[in-house]
Amino acid sequence: MKPAAFDYVRAESVAHAVDTLAGAGGDGKIIAGGQSLMPMMNFRLVKPSVLVDINAIAGLDRVERDDSRLRIGALVRHFMTARDPIIARHAPVVSEAMKHVAHLTVRNRGTFCGSVCHADPAAEMPMMTVLLDGRIHAVSSRGTRTIPVLDFFAGSLVTTLEPDELVAAIDLATIPEGMGYGFHEFARRHGDYALAAAAALMRREDGRVKDIRIAVMGVGEMPSRIAAAEDQLEGTELTDKAVGRAVAALRAAISPGSDLNASADYRRHLAGALAGRAIRDAWSRAKEAVPA
Amino acid sequence: MTTAKREISVIVNGLRHSVLVEPRMLLSDMLRQELGLTGTHVGCEHGVCGACTILLNGRSARSCLTLAVQADNAEIETVEGQGTIEDLGRAQRAFRDHHGLQCGFCTPGFIMTITDILRNHAPSSDDEIREALSGNICRCTGYEHIVDAVRELVREKEARP
Ligand SMILES: Cc1cc2nc3c(=O)[nH]c(=O)nc-3n(C[C@H](O)[C@H](O)[C@H](O)COP(=O)(O)OP(=O)(O)OC[C@H]3O[C@@H](n4cnc5c(N)ncnc54)[C@H](O)[C@@H]3O)c2cc1C
Ligand code: FES
Ligand code: FES
């Protein structure tokens, strides 16, 4: 047998799941898609005493929108996120990023919320959660809390979620009408984890960049926005020079690691090149605001 | 709390089985060791190679990343359900016609992924076909002949009304 022994509980409701987790005394684990957890259990890197399966809980597989937020339930799988019409209309940058996530068979099972809980530094869903001011809705037998994304990721594969907490949903800001977006990624094979990726959002006002956001992943412990690069462009015209300054600021602000797939220098170069493309795409998709 | 064996009920290729399994038993191991269905291959056992791909309730899944207990009351399809040596399934026949295999280790996983593709997806261009196959690794063929086989299957499906 590959994994170490554990008890298995198929949860019937969120309450059942969090009660079971509470009873496990910090040693329980939730399984959603299992596409990151099962490999770790097969290697015995993770050895839960109780595995709480949330796949049979009804009502967690929805994407909903209210006003300026999208809510993605805990059982929304990658293939659903990728083709969801609400996401395509109100957060097209997410649809674009999903094209790069894993392979058909993995997308059948893996979930958006599971990816965010797993917190891989080169995963698209955590990056989208950072880019779009995500909020993580956690439930435990002690109550519920909403965690802003900036308080959620704590390092590579580390979050501030407590061991007795379940993420019921994650909400994201929608992208307002007229705001442009761009997303570019480089991986060695289609569907592999990225060596690096960059995303940008912006509006145009009076021919200038407004409300710009730039985020990167794969080049640090966790996905992050790069304020130094955003500052170079906010309020400016999008000239080649301005993009060059932003790319230089981005490269200076990140400290990627080296591994067998890519050196730190190569990753830094890549992140800048991808950010440049994402910025230009966002600019060309942004529509000039019509004065009221 | 118990890590002891429990009984599950699964339908595999249309036949119902009751099996006694520990919670930690992988679905791939249950198929191979408990049911003797060794057509489902295991390569990496951590989700990367695709050799263990089966259909779980009609969609492809890695059986090495699925627990047997999770398949309780589920419907599973494996390569054994696709055809026999005398009467090959469509995908198997296309693989034979186009030399889509050499050693055959990866083939069961490809056949099941392709079954999912033909049922639930509509790749059209070669790029889309390659993307749909990207989760399965083959160390022999160089993929060209596999893509040829899938292209034919896709065209066949498009031609059907
Ligand atoms: C071959 C392969 C290629 C891949 N390529 C990519 C890729 O290119 N990009 C990418 O982003 N990902 C990739 N992945 C990972 C994939 O996206 C996973 O689906 C994802 O990382 C985890 O989601 P899951 O639902 O499978 O979570 P699980 O594996 O079930 O769980 C992961 C972790 O999150 C916890 N968890 C899950 N759901 C909840 C919840 N609701 N509340 C609290 N805790 C929870 C679990 O306890 C566990 O610690 C790949 C995986 C494989 C096998
Ligand atoms: S054995 Fe399951 S993916 Fe390799
Ligand atoms: S035919 Fe040998 S690995 Fe594919």
Side-chain angles (χ1 to χ4, degrees):
Chain A
M1 303 266 186
K2 288 245 138 189
F6 54 82
D7 188 11
Y8 168 86
V9 175
R10 189 181 282 195
E12 280 147 24
S13 62
V14 169
H16 182 202
V18 295
D19 286 347
T20 312
L21 274 185
D27 229 11
K29 268 267 167 209
I30 286 178
I31 183 164
Q35 303 301 295
S36 294
L37 180 59
M38 285 304 302
M40 300 219 289
M41 286 174 55
N42 284 354
F43 284 123
R44 299 202 181 188
L45 294 170
V46 178
K47 292 183 264 187
S49 62
V50 183
L51 202 58
V52 182
D53 189 344
I54 62 171
N55 283 283
I57 301 178
L60 293 181
D61 59 351
R62 287 187 213 134
V63 175
E64 287 157 331
R65 183 176 75 98
D66 79 281
D67 292 337
S68 59
R69 307 291 295 181
L70 283 174
R71 188 181 167 96
I72 302 178
L75 289 176
V76 174
R77 302 186 194 273
H78 300 332
F79 81 94
M80 298 156 82
T81 310
R83 65 170 197 207
D84 187 87
I86 300 176
I87 292 176
R89 178 159 155 70
H90 298 283
V93 68
V94 176
S95 315
E96 186 71 28
M98 291 309 294
K99 291 181 187 163
H100 299 266
V101 176
H103 319 280
L104 181 143
T105 300
V106 172
R107 289 200 291 258
N108 281 343
R109 302 288 301 167
T111 64
F112 191 100
C113 293
S115 169
V116 172
C117 292
H118 183 61
D120 189 292
E124 290 82 358
M125 286 71 48
M127 183 203 197
M128 289 298 117
T129 307
V130 167
L131 181 73
L132 299 173
D133 283 338
R135 293 187 306 203
I136 291 89
H137 297 276
V139 186
S140 72
S141 57
R142 297 172 286 120
T144 62
R145 63 178 180 134
T146 301
I147 312 166
V149 67
L150 288 178
D151 299 331
F152 190 75
F153 295 121
S156 175
L157 308 184
V158 186
T159 71
T160 57
L161 198 69
E162 297 292 338
D164 66 341
E165 284 181 311
L166 172 152
V167 171
I170 292 174
D171 75 57
L172 305 176
T174 53
I175 299 177
E177 201 74 38
M179 185 172 246
Y181 67 91
F183 177 88
H184 281 272
E185 165 168 332
F186 187 79
R188 290 187 47 185
R189 292 187 318 152
H190 184 99
D192 281 1
Y193 276 108
L195 293 184
L201 297 177
M202 69 179 75
R203 296 177 207 270
R204 277 191 202 204
E205 210 174 272
D206 299 330
R208 290 169 187 272
V209 173
K210 183 126 179 8
D211 298 336
I212 184 163
R213 289 170 173 241
I214 300 170
V216 292
M217 72 178 196
V219 292
E221 289 271 286
M222 46 190 140
S224 54
R225 280 178 62 186
I226 307 292
E230 294 173 355
D231 292 346
Q232 291 294 331
L233 291 172
E234 183 72 21
T236 68
E237 288 171 36
L238 200 100
T239 57
D240 286 349
K241 261 209 177 120
V243 175
R245 280 197 302 271
V247 165
L250 183 139
R251 287 188 175 130
I254 56 178
S255 36
S258 288
D259 58 30
L260 79 159
N261 292 312
S263 67
D265 279 350
Y266 177 56
R267 277 207 166 86
R268 181 177 290 110
H269 173 82
L270 206 51
L274 295 166
R277 287 178 208 164
I279 290 164
R280 288 176 202 284
D281 278 2
W283 175 253
S284 66
R285 282 177 177 138
K287 301 211 174 54
E288 183 65 41
V290 189
Chain B
M1 209 200 85
T2 173
T3 60
K5 287 189 179 179
R6 55 191 78 181
E7 185 164 307
I8 61 163
S9 168
V10 285
I11 297 176
V12 183
N13 301 326
L15 290 179
R16 187 175 282 282
H17 300 265
S18 289
V19 200
L20 212 52
V21 295
E22 269 186 71
R24 61 171 163 163
M25 177 170 263
L26 303 178
L27 180 57
S28 47
D29 288 339
M30 186 204 84
L31 291 168
R32 293 175 54 83
Q33 295 165 17
E34 304 300 314
L35 302 183
L37 295 172
T38 54
T40 298
H41 289 172
V42 287
C44 66
E45 302 195 87
H46 63 277
V48 175
C49 74
C52 69
T53 305
I54 49 109
L55 299 194
L56 181 68
N57 293 328
R59 283 191 178 272
S60 62
R62 305 288 207 223
S63 61
C64 73
L65 301 185
T66 310
L67 297 164
V69 283
Q70 290 187 289
D72 192 13
N73 291 319
E75 232 175 281
I76 293 161
E77 292 164 74
T78 70
V79 71
E80 286 90 346
Q82 296 297 306
T84 62
I85 290 173
E86 296 75 35
D87 183 19
L88 294 178
R90 302 175 87 85
Q92 291 167 323
R93 181 191 36 73
F95 262 53
R96 189 191 56 193
D97 293 350
H98 291 275
H99 307 289
L101 65 150
Q102 288 177 28
C103 80
F105 189 83
C106 68
T107 313
F110 269 99
I111 297 289
M112 299 318 291
T113 301
I114 290 163
T115 306
D116 186 0
I117 292 173
L118 293 175
R119 271 192 218 165
N120 301 313
H121 302 265
S124 187
S125 65
D126 276 15
D127 277 355
E128 287 166 356
I129 290 172
R130 283 173 192 278
E131 204 229 290
L133 295 172
S134 66
N136 291 69
I137 291 175
C138 174
R139 292 278 93 132
C140 300
T141 62
Y143 302 101
E144 290 300 330
H145 293 177
I146 295 177
V147 173
D148 290 347
V150 176
R151 190 188 304 111
E152 180 185 274
L153 290 163
V154 167
R155 297 289 168 264
E156 237 176 57
K157 187 185 162 189
E158 285 169 352
R160 261 178 280 143

